[in-house]
Amino acid sequence: MNHYLNDPYLDSMNFLNEACIKYPEAISFGSGRPVEEFFHLENTVDGVKRYAEIRGIDPNFLGQYNMTKGIINDFVAKLVKNDENIDISPDDIIITDGAQEGMAILIDTLFDKNDVLLVTDPSYVGFIGYAKIAGIDIRVVKRNDTGIDFDDLQRVIDTIIKEGRNIAAMYEVPDFQNPTGISLPLNERKELIELADKYDFYIIEDSPYGYYCYESEKIPSMKALDTKKRVIYIGSTSKTVFPSLRIGYLLVDQEIKTDGRTVKLSEECKKVKSFITVNTSAVLQAMFGAILYDNNFTLKKYCADKVGYCKQNRDVLADIIEKEFDFCDNWHKPAGGYFTTVKIPFDPTNDLVVEAIEKYGVIVCPMSMFCIDPENGKNMIRLSFSHMTIDEIKTGMARMKNWITDVSNR
């Protein structure tokens, strides 16, 4: 058996998922899910026939094995140009079975035995977890109130170079990061690209929350800023359409040297995908393709109701924290996304989280679940506000306040 599966980090999310199932009456701030009322499932399913009409093909063609890189690449190229100002050839796009497969493809493609992965801590468990299972050497970079601690990043880079190791890539969610909710400022995005070019590594930019911007114009994606072809972009439809569509996409326009020859990185990723899922379902691609075509290859208006719903929830949650949680002295109002983090007066151990669920009827998510080094998440909880009603937020926060107050006064 793969001995990397013994890493306790891989069990962290199972604990929370099982608690949600066992106590369905508890109000959950744990799950970062979109709201079902915006799924429009029937219209999306009808998109299969619509897509066949758009392409002028027999709908039955969509039931067959198909191109490994995908069949809607030209549509996605128009989407990222319109919504992200990213110029890319359709041939450098790979349609994946959700963003998670894209992560697996990149890890399996980019890393050799001597290679190192850089990640900020805390970070998204889906990417880190698969990297751990794959046996990748992961090095942690500290985060600060704005994003990346660049002094610590330089220290980590220098250490790796002294060891004679190679940095293959750094993983980052620059827009409304899960779990912190923080966005990387424009100057730090540019600085990270410069460092990647200087030390010859790739940046894996994961962008599931980019459309959920509440305050002002969205900061340009790192891929849009990248003139050095250092950024590989992971896109997702789980938050823009719905999770079970299972459509993601990789933007991979780099060329690499291997065995004395220069090859397109997208072709190497294609090889890996062909042995994981062969190809992404053409039926599901057709559904997404019809949405893109009928919305003029932009999702901004399509996502407007979802974004408005989450912004309203964010505002309600923020108002409660600011007025009633004066004992939480370290938190930030997120400018977008699904999450915020709050510092509480004690460390939320598993036993205390179970107590919150069983006795107070509220589910919270300890930040330590997202941390390779648990000390980086001490006394912190992540709150998700994406899949709740306003009444649930108000009731849940009241329950949470009682839990925090009672535990603090012991």
Side-chain angles (χ1 to χ4, degrees):
M1 190 181 81
N2 185 343
H3 71 277
Y4 293 112
L5 292 171
N6 295 324
D7 191 325
Y9 178 91
L10 302 177
D11 293 323
S12 60
M13 293 310 293
N14 288 331
F15 168 78
L16 195 64
N17 291 335
E18 289 170 6
C20 292
I21 294 170
K22 188 175 180 180
Y23 301 95
E25 71 283 358
I27 295 176
S28 177
F29 290 91
S31 177
R33 296 184 295 167
V35 177
E36 292 87 351
E37 71 177 86
F38 300 114
F39 286 177
H40 310 302
L41 198 62
E42 186 174 337
N43 292 340
T44 305
V45 171
D46 289 342
V48 176
K49 184 177 180 180
R50 171 74 176 136
Y51 179 82
E53 292 172 352
I54 293 166
R55 294 293 201 186
I57 59 175
D58 181 348
N60 288 320
F61 168 79
L62 300 171
Q64 191 54 272
Y65 291 108
N66 224 298
M67 303 293 289
T68 301
K69 284 188 177 181
I71 64 170
I72 58 170
N73 306 50
D74 55 335
F75 284 11
V76 172
K78 293 177 182 178
L79 169 70
V80 297
K81 174 59 178 175
N82 289 339
D83 286 357
E84 296 283 359
N85 197 30
I86 296 172
D87 290 300
I88 193 163
S89 165
D91 193 50
D92 289 324
I93 298 173
I94 298 178
I95 309 301
T96 61
D97 284 25
Q100 193 66 39
E101 189 202 13
M103 296 174 192
I105 290 170
L106 292 176
I107 289 169
D108 290 343
T109 303
L110 294 176
F111 291 86
D112 209 343
K113 292 181 179 178
N114 194 49
D115 291 338
V116 174
L117 168 67
L118 301 178
V119 298
T120 53
D121 199 30
S123 196
Y124 173 57
V125 296
F127 189 92
I128 308 304
Y130 188 84
K132 280 179 169 285
I133 290 171
I136 304 300
D137 183 356
I138 301 171
R139 304 296 178 92
V140 170
V141 177
K142 294 178 182 178
R143 298 189 69 88
N144 56 30
D145 291 340
T146 62
I148 299 170
D149 183 333
F150 277 87
D151 290 336
D152 191 57
L153 174 56
Q154 186 65 61
R155 179 192 62 78
V156 173
I157 290 172
D158 291 342
T159 299
I160 294 167
I161 292 173
K162 287 178 183 178
E163 294 174 359
R165 307 290 298 282
N166 177 62
I167 303 169
M170 180 169 180
Y171 172 77
E172 182 62 18
V173 183
D175 296 321
F176 321 119
Q177 193 235 23
N178 179 11
T180 65
I182 293 172
S183 285
L184 203 62
L186 178 61
N187 65 309
E188 294 191 12
R189 297 179 190 221
K190 293 179 178 178
E191 184 176 355
L192 185 55
I193 293 170
E194 291 296 328
L195 277 175
D197 191 53
K198 179 179 179 180
Y199 293 104
D200 192 23
F201 62 85
Y202 293 115
I203 300 165
I204 300 172
E205 177 181 21
D206 187 7
S207 184
Y209 307 106
Y211 285 91
Y212 287 78
C213 185
Y214 307 144
E215 298 300 334
S216 59
E217 283 295 313
K218 178 181 171 293
I219 302 171
S221 69
M222 296 183 70
K223 186 64 179 171
L225 296 169
D226 181 25
T227 60
K228 304 175 185 298
K229 294 203 172 180
R230 285 292 162 186
V231 179
I232 299 169
Y233 183 99
I234 304 175
S236 171
T237 60
S238 290
K239 309 303 187 291
T240 54
V241 185
F242 49 76
S244 67
L245 186 62
R246 304 317 303 146
I247 295 292
Y249 44 93
L250 294 178
L251 309 185
V252 195
D253 57 355
Q254 291 78 10
E255 291 186 343
I256 59 171
K257 291 183 179 180
T258 178
D259 294 332
R261 59 196 179 95
T262 300
V263 297
K264 295 180 69 171
L265 184 55
S266 63
E267 290 298 313
E268 302 304 290
C269 290
K270 172 185 170 182
K271 288 181 190 177
V272 174
K273 178 175 171 59
S274 71
F275 291 103
I276 298 178
T277 56
V278 183
N279 55 254
T280 296
S281 166
V283 172
L284 299 179
Q285 289 186 69
M287 293 180 191
F288 186 46
I291 290 172
L292 294 181
Y293 186 89
D294 290 337
N295 286 275
N296 297 314
F297 307 104
T298 175
L299 292 177
K300 291 182 178 179
K301 185 176 180 180
Y302 182 85
C303 292
D305 288 344
K306 302 180 182 72
V307 174
Y309 183 93
C310 286
K311 180 182 183 300
Q312 178 179 257
N313 282 0
R314 188 281 311 258
D315 291 343
V316 172
L317 181 68
D319 187 62
I320 293 171
I321 293 174
E322 289 170 353
K323 292 180 179 178
E324 301 180 28
F325 280 63
D326 55 332
F327 47 79
C328 295
D329 57 357
N330 185 356
W331 89 285
H332 77 282
K333 183 177 181 179
Y338 278 18
F339 311 104
T340 189
T341 55
V342 176
K343 186 174 183 180
I344 59 178
F346 54 87
D347 194 31
T349 63
N350 284 359
D351 288 343
L352 288 174
V353 171
V354 170
E355 179 184 342
I357 298 169
E358 292 182 343
K359 294 185 178 180
Y360 296 85
V362 63
I363 300 174
V364 299
C365 191
M367 282 289 282
S368 59
M369 290 184 173
F370 302 91
C371 296
I372 296 173
D373 180 357
E375 287 297 312
N376 290 335
K378 198 168 185 179
N379 287 44
M380 299 289 291
I381 55 175
R382 185 198 76 173
L383 303 180
S384 171
F385 48 83
S386 62
H387 190 265
M388 310 178 76
T389 65
I390 289 176
D391 286 344
E392 286 174 334
I393 291 173
K394 291 178 178 179
T395 301
M397 291 300 285
R399 294 177 181 181
M400 189 188 308
K401 182 179 181 180
N402 289 337
W403 169 65
I404 293 172
T405 301
D406 290 350
V407 173
S408 300
N409 289 336
R410 288 175 189 169

